[in-house]
Amino acid sequence: MPMPNPLFPIRRIRAPELPQNYFWLNTDKPFSLKQLRGRIVILDFWSYCCINCLHVLPDLRYLEQKYKDSVTVIGVHSAKFDHEKETENIRQAILRYDIQHPVLVDRDFRVWQEYAVKAYPTFAVIDPQGYVVASLTGEGKREILDGAIAKLIKLHQEKGTIDFQEFDFILEKDKTPSITPLSFPGKVLATDSKLFIADSGHHRIVVSSLDGEVLHLIGRDNGLKDGSFEEAEFFAPQGMAFDKVNRILYVADTENHAIRKVDFENQKVETIAGINENLNSPWDLVKLGNKLFIAMAGCHQIWELDLASNFVKVYAGRGAESCFDSSLSESAFAQPSGITTNGSELYIADSEVSSIRAINFAKQQVKTICGSGDLNAFGDVDGEGFDVRLQHCLGVEYANNFLWVADTYNHKIKLVNAVTGDCKTFLGNDLNEPSGLSIFDGYLYIADTNNHAIKKVYIDTLAVETMEFDDLCATDFCILN
């Protein structure tokens, strides 16, 4: 007897209807499943803090394009963090990640519960007659979904229950198009003569003087291409590290899952890791001696790259998404997104547990400096050690004997004593999801991500200015050398 196909259960379940009185984005009207009868519907349960949810967006885009006339994807945004519950913040995430399907704001996890979802991301596949025929959890489901869609199309063609037509949506980027010189800058790095900006939304690196004179634009489009500054392509770059002696900038090319080398002597970009190695959303870098340490957000680990050989390997973390203090091999991280060093320790902004972690080189041990270390414990509480509450911190910088933390979802910069774990708010005026920061010569530079700006703060007086960049072109196609 043939085994039943788990994607097409014998007992079909009627899909719960989608709420019409909730906020919907990327569309001018709510969608009901009744309206979508005759089409295959994929519900994507996601939260924009979740790296695994971001990883599946290319898969959904592929399926949307392949099956334009028969498949509708609807994102169901079920927020983890308080900050993510705000509709405007979800809208910004839609713009940042170029999501092109309708998104339902799932208030109080109502739809999540009705579909018995347990984890991010989860896909519910609904057939043209309105029945749930599959529920899949996790990344890497493109081929399974592709095969299921093809079978559903064939089945419902034979039954005469599929209606082929293309749907158009009024996207958020079409409602209020915004052209800004910087687009969702993720990280910033200040040196003695240059400011490097990961202009993530424009898929490029902006190099300027510390006063805003633009010197180079590196990268012209979304892609993975080596070559001259004019030819090179990046995909949402984030963290950077600079080798002043050799005039080389190393870049975490996050959505290309690669490490790139920017050679200023020869004005060339080269991929040094990620072609043959299985990197997973490298988010930040720090250089120490002849090694790069990488905050590998996608696999919840810290990696090490030997710059002499370009050999890359796991340095710390067993790969489980958790907060566990132990040896390098037994420890666990949760989406590490910022990394820095004082020479004897690495410090990590561990975003999904809203904590600051440390790795002691001599002891080869991982410890938590501040924050609870709990995946579901977050907030905005200054204090010491375990009592501190941060909210999805993405950036950390060691300078002036302190750790400076971009407490991203609290829209603040926090100051942390690396020894005692004492945490105090340093700055919190008019920031919007700050993701990266760098300190040089008495100034704090902040990648103020959702404000599409770089803020420059004079540390002694807390005077804040928004940097202006001379002749910075807002498009992906202007090149300055």
Side-chain angles (χ1 to χ4, degrees):
M1 176 183 289
M3 296 296 290
N5 188 335
L7 291 177
F8 304 102
I10 296 173
R11 178 177 172 269
R12 297 190 302 168
I13 302 170
R14 176 68 70 182
E17 188 54 89
L18 302 176
Q20 303 297 289
N21 59 340
Y22 282 19
F23 283 110
W24 286 72
L25 298 164
N26 260 4
T27 174
D28 61 341
K29 61 184 179 182
F31 279 94
S32 68
L33 295 179
K34 185 177 180 180
Q35 288 175 291
L36 295 170
R37 290 286 166 78
R39 295 181 66 79
I40 299 163
V41 177
I42 299 176
L43 301 183
D44 169 33
F45 290 86
W46 70 298
S47 183
Y48 78 81
C49 72
C50 168
I51 191 70
N52 310 96
C53 298
L54 302 183
H55 285 169
V56 305
L57 292 176
D59 295 340
L60 294 175
R61 194 169 295 124
Y62 168 84
L63 296 171
E64 289 173 290
Q65 292 299 313
K66 183 174 181 177
Y67 299 104
K68 282 183 180 180
D69 61 352
S70 52
V71 171
T72 296
V73 175
I74 296 177
V76 182
H77 190 273
S78 307
K80 171 187 172 179
F81 291 99
D82 291 339
H83 171 78
E84 295 176 299
K85 296 176 183 178
E86 298 178 24
T87 302
E88 176 56 25
N89 297 333
I90 302 168
R91 191 181 80 85
Q92 290 295 324
I94 288 169
L95 294 170
R96 184 186 312 184
Y97 299 114
D98 194 26
I99 295 170
Q100 298 184 20
H101 51 251
V103 173
L104 166 64
V105 180
D106 184 17
R107 197 164 64 230
D108 301 323
F109 281 77
R110 171 183 155 181
V111 184
W112 173 287
Q113 292 168 354
E114 288 178 342
Y115 279 81
V117 176
K118 303 296 183 185
Y120 300 108
T122 289
F123 309 102
V125 182
I126 302 169
D127 74 10
Q129 292 181 293
Y131 291 93
V132 177
V133 294
S135 181
L136 305 169
T137 299
E139 301 179 43
K141 300 297 189 292
R142 178 192 291 194
E143 290 185 7
I144 296 174
L145 287 168
D146 197 355
I149 291 167
K151 290 179 181 178
L152 283 171
I153 289 173
K154 184 175 185 297
L155 175 65
H156 286 274
Q157 273 185 304
E158 293 170 355
K159 294 171 66 174
T161 50
I162 194 165
D163 180 16
F164 291 102
Q165 59 176 314
E166 291 192 17
F167 273 40
D168 292 320
F169 309 111
I170 299 179
L171 305 178
E172 297 304 315
K173 65 181 181 181
D174 298 327
K175 294 178 189 176
T176 53
S178 176
I179 299 176
T180 54
L182 296 173
S183 176
F184 298 105
K187 302 288 186 183
V188 61
L189 175 63
T191 67
D192 58 354
S193 61
K194 292 183 179 66
L195 191 68
F196 301 101
I197 302 164
D199 190 10
S200 306
H202 286 143
H203 311 291
R204 66 185 179 184
I205 304 298
V206 175
V207 185
S208 78
S209 71
L210 296 176
D211 294 322
E213 178 190 356
V214 178
L215 306 173
H216 300 283
L217 298 179
I218 308 169
R220 59 177 293 119
D221 207 353
N222 168 354
L224 176 58
K225 183 178 181 181
D226 291 344
S228 68
F229 286 6
E230 296 91 340
E231 297 169 332
E233 295 177 348
F234 296 86
F235 192 178
Q238 290 284 341
M240 300 162 290
F242 186 57
D243 179 347
K244 179 181 175 182
V245 174
N246 296 302
R247 297 186 63 209
I248 290 173
L249 181 73
Y250 297 98
V251 179
D253 194 4
T254 301
E255 294 202 34
N256 275 325
H257 310 289
I259 305 298
R260 316 291 292 281
K261 174 182 173 181
V262 179
D263 182 345
F264 283 90
E265 190 69 36
N266 298 299
Q267 297 206 359
K268 296 283 187 182
V269 176
E270 177 188 356
T271 302
I272 60 172
I275 299 298
N276 299 313
E277 305 85 3
N278 190 23
L279 305 190
N280 196 334
S281 290
W283 211 275
D284 202 8
L285 307 173
V286 66
K287 182 178 181 293
L288 189 60
N290 208 31
K291 295 180 178 179
L292 275 183
F293 291 95
I294 307 165
M296 202 75 73
C299 55
H300 315 295
Q301 293 172 319
I302 307 303
W303 283 42
E304 174 189 327
L305 190 155
D306 186 311
L307 293 171
S309 63
N310 288 344
F311 181 75
V312 63
K313 64 180 181 180
V314 176
Y315 178 72
R318 65 179 188 266
E321 186 178 16
S322 180
C323 179
F324 185 68
D325 292 345
S326 185
S327 65
L328 297 183
S329 60
E330 293 298 319
S331 60
F333 297 86
Q335 205 170 308
S337 302
I339 190 167
T340 187
T341 186
N342 66 353
S344 60
E345 289 189 300
L346 291 173
Y347 300 102
I348 296 103
D350 213 12
S351 64
E352 278 296 283
V353 286
S354 301
S355 300
I356 302 300
R357 317 286 298 284
I359 302 175
N360 185 284
F361 288 123
K363 296 179 180 178
Q364 300 279 284
Q365 290 285 316
V366 178
K367 66 179 180 181
T368 301
I369 293 177
C370 68
S372 73
D374 189 321
L375 280 164
N376 297 308
F378 52 86
D380 186 3
V381 180
D382 291 350
E384 189 171 310
F386 180 83
D387 295 330
V388 171
R389 291 292 180 270
L390 306 171
Q391 189 177 186
H392 199 69
C393 46
L394 290 177
V396 62
E397 166 91 335
Y398 183 87
N400 304 338
N401 298 315
F402 284 95
L403 295 171
W404 304 70
V405 177
D407 192 6
T408 306
Y409 286 0
N410 284 325
H411 313 296
K412 292 180 178 180
I413 306 301
K414 301 287 181 73
L415 198 60
V416 175
N417 184 311
V419 177
T420 67
D422 181 66
C423 175
K424 297 178 180 178
T425 298
F426 175 77
L427 187 72
N429 294 328
D430 302 320
L431 300 176
N432 192 342
E433 290 198 20
S435 300
L437 69 175
S438 185
I439 291 177
F440 182 77
D441 198 24
Y443 286 93
L444 169 65
Y445 298 85
I446 303 170
D448 193 6
T449 304
N450 278 13
N451 279 327
H452 311 290
I454 302 298
K455 297 289 176 62
K456 183 177 181 179
V457 184
Y458 185 45
I459 293 173
D460 285 349
T461 64
L462 294 187
V464 182
E465 66 172 287
T466 299
M467 293 190 67
E468 303 217 354
F469 297 92
D470 298 337
D471 301 320
L472 180 58
C473 177
T475 73
D476 295 329
F477 301 100
C478 61
I479 300 297
L480 174 66
N481 285 296

